[in-house]
Amino acid sequence: MIVEIYTPDQLIFQGEAASVTVPGTLGSFEVLKDHAPIISTLEDGKVTVRTGQETQTFAIKGGMVEVKENKVVVLAEGLAE
């Protein structure tokens, strides 16, 4: 599946991933290939992208996520420091 992570001023990550874990408002959840469509708000926390053998983590300051047709778009309010 394709994953894109944006902040208001830049594209942070774009590429293929096996799974993505996001800090949902009601709790962290994982998105895998063929996940049902969903839109959710995000809390401050970590977005973890697993691309086969590699794992990348991005600390965000809230935002939202949309999952649709094997594409995950994270719109973060900013990166945590």
Side-chain angles (χ1 to χ4, degrees), residues 2-6 64-67 71-75:
I2 301 292
V3 178
E4 297 175 354
I5 303 173
Y6 295 93
M64 65 166 290
V65 62
E66 178 186 34
V67 178
K71 184 172 182 181
V72 179
V73 178
V74 175
L75 302 175

Side-chain angles (χ1 to χ4, degrees), residues 38-59:
I38 185 173
I39 295 177
S40 177
T41 55
L42 301 175
E43 295 287 321
D44 294 359
K46 294 180 181 177
V47 175
T48 304
V49 180
R50 289 172 199 80
T51 56
Q53 297 178 345
E54 283 188 39
T55 299
Q56 295 183 14
T57 303
F58 306 92

Side-chain angles (χ1 to χ4, degrees), residues 1-3 15-20 31-34 67 70-72:
M1 73 184 154
I2 301 292
V3 178
E16 284 282 332
S19 71
V20 180
V31 177
L32 301 170
K33 184 180 177 192
D34 296 327
V67 178
N70 285 318
K71 184 172 182 181
V72 179

